[in-house]
Amino acid sequence: RIVHAVQCRLAVRGKGPPILANTPPEDRTQNIIIAIDGPAGAGKSTVASRLAGRLGVPYLDTGSMYRAVALLALRDGLEPPLDERAATHVINLMDRHRIEVEAANGATVILVDGLDVGTDIRSPECSLMASAVSAIAEVRKALVPLQRELGLQKGGVMEGRDIGTVVFPDADLKVFLTASIDERARRRHGDLREREMDTSFEEVREQQQQRDLQDTSRADSPLQVARGSVVVDTTGLTLDEVVERLFEEVVRIR
Ligand code: DC
């Protein structure tokens, strides 16, 4: 029922720079699946999209799918925490609206009822609501199969909280990115300021901690280090250094 309401389309747009120059094109990253998990603010999105661009494979930000559901909930006046009644409300909203996701080389495009909501889903309110809706088992049950389908079609770099544990436990490469809470809050605060969203550092840090707690303690698919993951603490590293490190891991496994 819900799956039917959520439509998914895959379109690989643009071309990343050539990779793995010594490998024939057909063998390069054919359907390679790279899972990147970790807490909010660890640098996952930037690292995952840059790595995907460098490898010339799709990039899928699975958090944007939970954020799209969160946006529907916010627009309908719901507020976290969500009780059972609110959870049913969220599931009904997913039935009534259409969420489409497109995994592109450099970005994940997310549409709600045909409109690009890429900016709206980035607000602090939407972050907290995304964490709340992602704890609803039926929401995950609807979104996870779509994520698997997208991954199986073309492979790519997939980023989220449960990619290596639940969505693709057999991924070619599993990465757990983390960083200290202060560093993560600093980065998120910087991002928000760049987008002229006025929030204090303390507020961002507190919201980040709240999300960490929710994302790691929920019953369904909590954030955990997947077995066999390469764990990278990005505190004090530049994003370029992290991308380079992961690129080397990809070269090693190919
Ligand atoms: O990565 P993000 O901050 O955009 O994710 C928003 C929320 O969605 C996050 O707090 C937890 C949830 N999420 C999830 O439960 N599973 C995923 N694979 C991705 C995100």
Side-chain angles (χ1 to χ4, degrees):
R1 196 171 52 111
I2 303 160
V3 175
H4 189 68
V6 183
Q7 303 214 341
C8 216
R9 74 175 188 230
L10 180 83
V12 183
R13 295 195 307 203
K15 286 203 163 48
I19 60 130
L20 305 181
N22 299 329
T23 319
E26 61 277 16
D27 291 340
R28 275 179 193 162
T29 46
Q30 214 179 29
N31 285 353
I32 189 174
I33 292 181
I34 300 170
I36 302 189
D37 293 303
K44 294 190 305 292
S45 301
T46 314
V47 167
S49 79
R50 282 201 207 163
L51 183 66
R54 193 150 165 202
L55 297 170
V57 300
Y59 158 59
L60 184 66
D61 162 15
T62 59
S64 67
M65 298 166 82
Y66 294 96
R67 285 172 180 272
V69 176
L71 189 66
L72 290 175
L74 288 173
R75 284 181 177 170
D76 230 42
L78 295 177
E79 279 177 26
L82 303 173
D83 58 18
E84 214 167 293
R85 219 179 121 169
T88 308
H89 188 148
V90 171
I91 296 156
N92 288 335
L93 283 171
M94 288 180 76
D95 250 355
R96 296 210 304 272
H97 295 271
R98 203 164 71 159
I99 297 173
E100 289 170 276
V101 59
E102 195 178 291
N105 282 352
T108 302
V109 179
I110 188 105
L111 307 174
V112 170
D113 297 330
L115 294 177
D116 188 331
V117 293
T119 310
D120 301 3
I121 60 170
R122 296 290 151 201
S123 70
E125 298 74 48
C126 206
S127 298
L128 282 179
M129 184 57 107
S131 179
V133 300
S134 71
I136 303 172
E138 286 86 346
V139 170
R140 308 198 73 83
K141 228 184 269 170
L143 298 184
V144 166
L146 300 177
Q147 293 161 7
R148 283 203 185 112
E149 199 182 311
L150 281 163
L152 288 174
Q153 280 178 24
K154 300 261 179 185
V157 181
M158 304 189 64
E159 172 234 319
R161 300 290 186 290
D162 61 339
I163 309 303
T165 51
V166 175
V167 183
F168 280 110
D170 296 327
D172 299 280
L173 175 65
K174 291 189 260 184
V175 179
F176 191 88
L177 280 194
T178 185
S180 71
I181 176 70
D182 280 330
E183 173 107 5
R184 294 190 287 116
R186 232 186 337 264
R187 287 180 192 161
R188 189 48 61 102
H189 187 230
D191 285 351
L192 290 170
R193 276 177 51 164
E194 239 169 62
R195 281 182 277 128
E196 293 176 355
M197 292 186 187
D198 191 23
T199 327
S200 72
F201 173 77
E202 287 69 29
E203 213 174 326
V204 173
R205 191 178 189 280
E206 200 175 301
Q207 288 188 350
Q208 204 101 301
Q209 271 178 317
Q210 193 181 334
R211 279 218 283 160
D212 284 355
L213 181 67
Q214 279 172 193
D215 296 346
T216 53
S217 64
R218 67 182 178 218
D220 189 348
S221 319
L223 172 66
Q224 283 173 343
V225 181
R227 199 176 303 153
S229 296
V230 177
V231 179
V232 181
D233 185 336
T234 68
T235 314
L237 295 180
T238 65
L239 292 173
D240 281 341
E241 286 170 331
V242 180
V243 174
E244 192 53 42
R245 166 86 208 279
L246 299 189
F247 187 76
E248 280 164 16
E249 290 288 339
V250 177
V251 173
R252 202 174 55 78
I253 61 164
R254 294 311 287 178

